[in-house]
Amino acid sequence: MQAPAVQFPKKLYGLDHLRAFAICYVLIYHYRLFGHPDWVPVIGGFGWTGVDLFFVLSGFLISSHLFAELSKTGTISLKTYFIKRSFRILPAYLFIVAVYFLVPAYHEREALSPLWRFLTFTKNFGMDTRVEGTFSHSWSLCVEEQFYLVLPLVLLALAYYKAGKKGLLLLAAIFLGGFAIRWCGWQIIAPYTNTDAFSALFRTYIYYPTYNRLDPLLVGIAVSAFYHYRPAWFAKIGKAVNWLLPLGLLVLIGAYYLNSNETNIKATLFGFPAVAVGYGIMVMAAVHPASILYKYQWAVTEKIAALSYSLYLSHKGLMPLTQRLLALYGFDPNSNITMLICFIVVIAAAVLLHIVVEKPFLRMRDRVLKRKAQSTSDTQQLTAEAV
């Protein structure tokens, strides 16, 4: 693989703006599951797609770092890669898992899945929210962890067999294969379209499994490949890059109507890809130097983006717990003031989780990587002296 001509700046502010939007949209979407003002479902009904935006961002960022390493060294250090991922993901996640198992009052819905499902990141397969709905939003973390595990192995295989150019064909094949897999899932749930069980079955067989939710991750990888390996093409869109934002919005509006009825096979087959393409267009705009999203830093979105992982992990248990406590003092769970207090509590808890758990482990990660780099440097020096 040739070294990419386009180099990452230290900070992509455009992605912070999108990440902040994604977490806010998800919070509003999940708040409608509990007591809420009447306007929340109107604004937040499409908020489930915030997770898809996170997937596009993950696909773009993780593949970009791996592409850069492959271009520079011809290989990927799996040890370094998994050290980075483990220290970034596991500490806060395991802390929240512990809270769910040790504090029953934190449960937002029905019983928890077995602990091994959380520890192996396999909760998203066969999950029935009617009986194990607590911490159900961990399904997306399962998808991402499985993606983090497989992607570097696939890229290493492509590099080993010098088949990098065929990677795009593989990407397209997996993307198109998703339509066939979702069609098979639809055959299982179609007989139940007019029953009360349909919504839960749709989530079990269509919404949660990784093989049905690869579209946004693949789109993120495609945008990253375009960014890195076709810099001349990427540069050519500069004059029209700000038109990508309304274009992406138009695609998402179409996706909104396409997904408005989950009992429709068209939503099952085309709904997720439409959302992925819409957000992928926005990410493409956000990483282009000519884009307004790229140029302007905003401290608010930067802070929200930094807290997004802690917010995502902790919010769904805190919202109903806060509402129950406020109800003891006469607060209406459906009021705007209750919602405001709930969001303040969620943000405060996320800040605490970020400071107490996330940041110390990130500093520990940096120390481990520094020692590893120093050890590698010393070994190379001794080898050179021996030669």
Side-chain angles (χ1 to χ4, degrees):
M1 294 186 181
Q2 296 179 346
V6 180
Q7 298 297 325
F8 265 125
K10 290 184 178 180
K11 188 73 171 177
L12 287 166
Y13 297 114
L15 298 189
D16 278 349
H17 303 325
L18 293 180
R19 187 178 290 107
F21 167 79
I23 189 59
C24 290
Y25 210 14
V26 168
L27 293 184
I28 294 173
Y29 174 73
H30 282 155
Y31 195 79
R32 50 188 274 286
L33 300 176
F34 315 111
H36 58 265
D38 292 337
W39 59 268
V40 169
V42 178
I43 299 297
F46 199 48
W48 60 270
T49 65
V51 169
D52 292 73
L53 177 52
F54 278 127
F55 287 164
V56 176
L57 292 168
S58 291
F60 175 83
L61 289 169
I62 298 301
S63 61
S64 292
H65 291 302
L66 294 176
F67 288 157
E69 185 176 359
L70 272 174
S71 299
K72 184 178 180 180
T73 67
T75 189
I76 295 171
S77 171
L78 292 178
K79 183 176 181 180
T80 298
Y81 172 81
F82 285 116
I83 287 173
K84 289 180 178 180
R85 290 293 89 208
S86 297
F87 276 94
R88 177 70 185 92
I89 300 297
L90 293 181
Y93 172 76
L94 293 176
F95 178 85
I96 294 298
V97 169
V99 171
Y100 269 107
F101 275 87
L102 297 175
V103 186
Y106 200 75
H107 294 190
E108 70 269 21
R109 289 191 61 189
E110 294 79 7
L112 278 166
S113 300
L115 179 60
W116 68 267
R117 296 284 299 277
F118 293 102
L119 298 181
T120 58
F121 291 96
T122 55
K123 181 176 171 62
N124 64 319
F125 292 115
M127 182 171 66
D128 187 343
T129 53
R130 292 172 296 183
V131 295
E132 49 181 344
T134 293
F135 202 15
S136 60
H137 56 297
S138 63
W139 74 269
S140 64
L141 304 177
C142 298
V143 172
E144 293 211 6
E145 284 301 300
Q146 293 155 25
F147 166 74
Y148 294 152
L149 175 64
V150 172
L151 179 63
L153 303 179
V154 172
L155 292 181
L156 278 174
L158 291 173
Y160 180 79
Y161 291 105
K162 302 186 185 304
K165 293 183 178 180
K166 295 181 180 179
L168 289 177
L169 295 177
L170 177 62
L171 204 67
I174 297 173
F175 187 86
L176 294 174
F179 291 93
I181 294 172
R182 286 191 294 273
W183 184 86
C184 292
W186 175 260
Q187 304 311 307
I188 296 174
I189 66 175
Y192 302 93
T193 51
N194 296 317
T195 70
D196 293 337
F198 178 81
S199 182
L201 291 173
F202 176 85
R203 292 180 175 275
T204 299
Y205 289 98
I206 305 295
Y207 189 82
Y208 292 133
T210 303
Y211 44 76
N212 288 330
R213 303 310 306 275
L214 292 174
D215 306 88
L217 292 163
L218 297 174
V219 167
I221 296 172
V223 173
S224 175
F226 183 56
Y227 183 98
H228 280 77
Y229 297 114
R230 291 294 183 267
W233 294 1
F234 187 80
K236 288 180 180 179
I237 69 174
K239 294 181 180 180
V241 69
N242 286 317
W243 288 101
L244 291 179
L245 296 176
L247 175 61
L249 182 60
L250 284 175
V251 173
L252 289 169
I253 291 172
Y256 170 80
Y257 287 103
L258 184 59
N259 285 283
S260 61
N261 181 6
E262 65 183 18
T263 62
N264 189 322
I265 189 173
K266 290 186 291 185
T268 296
L269 293 181
F270 304 106
F272 298 148
V275 171
V277 170
Y279 282 132
I281 292 172
M282 289 189 164
V283 169
M284 183 177 291
V287 298
H288 197 288
S291 168
I292 58 173
L293 288 179
Y294 182 101
K295 291 179 179 179
Y296 296 107
Q297 177 186 5
W298 189 26
V300 173
T301 55
E302 188 175 4
K303 295 298 183 184
I304 294 174
L307 291 173
S308 60
Y309 185 49
S310 290
L311 283 167
Y312 188 78
L313 284 172
S314 60
H315 75 280
K316 207 173 177 187
L318 283 172
M319 287 174 173
L321 176 60
T322 304
Q323 286 192 356
R324 291 195 297 269
L325 293 175
L326 290 175
L328 299 176
Y329 298 93
F331 284 84
D332 180 2
N334 297 310
S335 68
N336 287 303
I337 186 63
T338 296
M339 182 176 180
L340 176 61
I341 296 172
C342 284
F343 273 68
I344 291 173
V345 170
V346 166
I347 293 170
V351 170
L352 188 62
L353 181 61
H354 182 68
I355 293 174
V356 175
V357 179
E358 282 195 270
K359 292 184 75 172
F361 277 95
L362 290 176
R363 289 194 292 268
M364 187 184 301
R365 176 200 65 184
D366 293 340
R367 291 195 295 270
V368 170
L369 292 174
K370 185 177 180 180
R371 287 198 296 269
K372 181 178 180 298
Q374 182 62 48
S375 175
T376 301
S377 176
D378 291 343
T379 300
Q380 291 173 345
Q381 183 177 352
L382 289 172
T383 302
E385 290 174 353
V387 173

